[in-house]
Structure formats: C-alpha cells, structure tokens
Amino acid sequence: SSEALPGVPSTKPAATFVGGSSHSAMDKASSRLSSTSCLSLVLPHCSLERSPPSRDGSRRPKSSGLHATSVTSLPPLADSIHTKRSKKWKGSVLSRVKPLNEAGEKRRFMLDFSHNPQFVYKRSLPSFVRKRYNSPSDELMPLALGIIRNVLRRYGSYEVHEEKNGGRVLSDAECLKTARMYLREQGISDVRVVVSRGLVPFAHMTHDKRGNTVLEMKSGVIREHRIQGLLNHEIGTHYLRARNDKLQPWSSKTGKRLYGLRDKNPTEEGLASLHSVLLRSRGPYLFHSALLYYSACMAHRLSFSELFYNLGQFIGSRDSQWDYCVRVKRGVMDTSKPGRRDLVCFVD
C-alpha cells in the first residue's frame, strides 16, 4: 500500500519493497501479531531524504518522526566485520566453516565418545572474523533453560516433542515440491532449490558459481510441520530482505555509510527465528533456538566430547547430539579446545 502510516512523512524518495502475494503465509503471520504491534513483516514507507551536514561535516539520515525507526535512536549493535576499512572481508562464513571430513569424524566419534573431532576445512576464516564469534554472552541462559525444561516437562523427551510437533520426516522430493510451491506463491522465480546430505544446518541461502541464488536444504531431517517455518525463515526473511535491500537508497557502499548502517544479523537472524514458529499450530516454541543458544554458550567452555555428554541431559538421540555439537563447533579445527560459533538466532 502507498498510504503513509500516521506520524510517518510521505515525502520522497520513499523506501521500496517487494514481496509475495497478498494471501501469502507471511501476510497471515503478520496479521496474527497485528493486535500487539510487536512485529511488522512489511516495512512502512519512510522518508530517507538527506539531512543537512552535522557540525563535523558528516551527513546523517533525517528522522522519520517515529522514535522506533530513527537510526540514531537505536541502541548500539555488535561491531560488524566491516567496521574498519582495513579489514573488509567479502567471503562467505558458512562456506568456510563446513568441515570436509565430518562423516569420517562422526564414524570415529561414535566408536569412541572421548574422541574430539579434528575438522578439516577447505579454507580457514581470517583471524579477525573468528574473533567476532569468541565473546559469547550467557545473559539469556536462564531464559533458554526455562524454555528447554518447560518443553521437556510438557512432552517428556526431545524425541517425543519432535514427533508430535514436527510430524513425519519428508522425502527429498517432498521438500523440493513444497519449497517450489512456496516460491511460486511468493512470485519468486530466480531461486533454485536443492537438497544436500552434507549440510550442517537444516537449510541456508547461498549462491552457486554463476552467482545464482540457491536455497539448500538438508536431506532426511526436515519434518512436514516444520518446513513452512523453515521457508518463512530462509525465503520470507533472508531472501526478501536481501532483494528489497537492493532497491533502497542505502544499497550501495556510499548509501550504507551515509545512513550509518551496520551488520544486519543482530536484527535479521532473530526476526527469522520468530518467523520460523509464527504459523505453527503445534508447539510454537523457540525450543531449537534455545537449545542452540545453550549449546553455543557451553561450547565456549567445553570440548566437543564434553559438550556431547552435557547435551545428553536434554537430547536422547546421538545423531541429534552430534548435529548440535557440530553446529556450534564448526569453524574450529581442534574441538578439544573451547570455542563456538552459532549464538545469534536466540539472542536477537
């Protein structure tokens, strides 16, 4: 809609947005939260006119009139890896933290649980990028543990929760069919969908060698009642945000500097996690995000083997325990040493 919201200027240039059909899943998710106004899935038009230079000569974005949307009123975000010009890095973190020898190390570990996997990577991450993930905060540990224990108290075990709320595991063909149907409903035709066995997370957005956008999903783990949330997470949040971003005045490097934009992840990953559970009629809990947060915090203190045993108090499946450990230890070569990666989804 081109109608301006109350209190928001309608001056040009206004932000431009693209999305799916008016009856899409994300629209339904948005309507469920309209009464509390705590989440908006379609951003309002807002003024992005240049303001006069400040005293130091730099330009700052003009206030839109809403305190919540003012860039300068937001609390400080985590430092981006692009903060210093001397340390810009355009590589993909995900492509560099995927262990090449995961299958072999898993076989060895399942024969000897005291073994700490020694992961091998095609290329290592720059040291300044690794440091970005080495300062975990356990501030939300009580909340995460509360979610985990309440869910386990309600269902009895991790496995029962998965079966009752997730439904049956979909075949690769069913995953591809569902994802392609979702893309058609959203009016998206430039995303290719593939299913892979060696993927660490359940799914992620990536690009092939030609630069084409690809949705990659993990084979044999995606359940029938979870795939909608997964698509809301990857396509409805990450992909549409990236596509919309290219249409905005701040899409260039100059625009990002002008409007003081920083790393998107401190907001986007948390929003995507919420989108994963909004439409679930069965158990809309942030159970997996809480488990991942707990695992990440403990991985900073424990070795791979110790973390595996520790997660046994919540997870009965050895395969699932392994998956959580790999998820938070990926990027680490010698997993006998403390260290971790994933934390952002639950924190945000």
Side-chain angles (χ1 to χ4, degrees):
S1 172
S2 60
E3 295 180 2
L5 297 181
V8 181
S10 58
T11 53
K12 302 295 182 178
T16 305
F17 299 92
V18 297
S21 65
S22 59
H23 300 289
S24 67
M26 298 306 294
D27 292 324
K28 296 176 183 177
S30 180
S31 65
R32 290 181 60 181
L33 296 178
S34 60
S35 61
T36 59
S37 299
C38 64
L39 176 66
S40 176
L41 303 183
V42 180
L43 301 180
H45 291 307
C46 57
S47 173
L48 293 174
E49 290 184 342
R50 289 191 176 188
S51 58
S54 59
R55 292 181 179 178
D56 61 2
S58 63
R59 292 182 180 272
R60 300 190 181 279
K62 186 177 181 180
S63 172
S64 65
L66 288 179
H67 178 75
T69 60
S70 171
V71 175
T72 56
S73 69
L74 293 175
L77 301 178
D79 288 341
S80 167
I81 62 174
H82 302 290
T83 299
K84 296 182 179 180
R85 291 188 179 184
S86 60
K87 291 190 177 182
K88 284 183 180 180
W89 186 67
K90 297 181 180 180
S92 169
V93 173
L94 291 177
S95 67
R96 295 201 183 191
V97 297
K98 180 180 179 181
L100 300 177
N101 60 336
E102 182 190 346
E105 286 298 289
K106 182 178 182 179
R107 288 193 295 269
R108 184 176 177 184
F109 180 82
M110 291 302 176
L111 294 175
D112 178 11
F113 293 125
S114 65
H115 168 67
N116 286 295
Q118 305 296 300
F119 290 133
V120 177
Y121 304 92
K122 187 175 182 179
R123 290 179 294 176
S124 61
L125 285 171
S127 60
F128 72 92
V129 177
R130 290 198 302 270
K131 289 179 181 179
R132 181 186 180 194
Y133 298 101
N134 285 334
S135 301
S137 169
D138 58 2
E139 179 183 0
L140 300 179
M141 184 67 85
L143 178 60
L145 283 172
I147 293 174
I148 294 169
R149 288 168 177 164
N150 283 336
V151 169
L152 294 179
R153 189 180 302 115
R154 185 183 186 95
Y155 293 95
S157 70
Y158 175 92
E159 290 68 31
V160 172
H161 169 266
E162 293 297 283
E163 292 176 5
K164 286 189 175 182
N165 289 312
R168 65 181 179 86
V169 176
L170 298 177
S171 67
D172 292 355
E174 289 174 315
C175 289
L176 290 171
K177 180 180 179 180
T178 304
R180 288 166 181 165
M181 185 180 299
Y182 182 96
L183 290 170
R184 285 196 299 270
E185 291 175 350
Q186 299 294 322
I188 298 170
S189 58
D190 58 346
V191 174
R192 186 164 61 92
V193 185
V194 298
V195 177
S196 305
R197 293 192 176 277
L199 202 60
V200 176
F202 282 3
H204 71 175
M205 300 300 298
T206 185
H207 293 87
D208 59 22
K209 294 180 179 179
R210 296 182 178 180
N212 300 316
T213 305
V214 178
L215 170 62
E216 189 175 9
M217 297 186 291
K218 188 173 184 177
S219 175
V221 298
I222 299 176
R223 295 178 178 270
E224 61 179 327
H225 301 313
R226 299 276 171 75
I227 191 168
Q228 180 74 33
L230 181 150
L231 295 171
N232 288 344
H233 183 120
E234 300 295 340
I235 300 295
T237 308
H238 291 313
Y239 171 78
L240 285 181
R241 192 282 312 162
R243 184 173 172 182
N244 278 318
D245 195 64
K246 294 178 181 179
L247 304 176
Q248 309 309 327
W250 57 78
S251 61
S252 66
K253 293 180 181 178
T254 302
K256 286 181 171 58
R257 288 196 297 269
L258 175 63
Y259 295 106
L261 301 185
R262 305 178 77 177
D263 189 2
K264 64 184 182 301
N265 277 338
T267 298
E268 185 172 320
E269 282 297 341
L271 186 62
S273 294
L274 290 176
H275 290 172
S276 298
V277 301
L278 286 181
L279 294 178
R280 289 184 191 172
S281 58
R282 304 182 183 187
Y285 311 114
L286 288 171
F287 181 53
H288 293 282
S289 296
L291 267 173
L292 188 59
Y293 174 85
Y294 173 86
S295 301
C297 288
M298 298 305 294
H300 191 68
R301 310 169 187 172
L302 306 176
S303 69
F304 190 104
S305 177
E306 292 168 337
L307 178 62
F308 184 88
Y309 277 107
N310 187 278
L311 290 177
Q313 63 183 308
F314 306 127
I315 306 171
S317 166
R318 291 177 177 177
D319 286 333
S320 296
Q321 287 173 253
W322 169 269
D323 288 342
Y324 274 96
C325 289
V326 172
R327 181 78 181 267
V328 298
K329 285 288 189 179
R330 56 180 170 163
V332 178
M333 290 181 284
D334 182 2
T335 64
S336 66
K337 300 176 181 179
R340 64 102 187 101
R341 182 183 179 276
D342 282 347
L343 186 68
V344 71
C345 291
F346 183 75
V347 172
D348 302 317

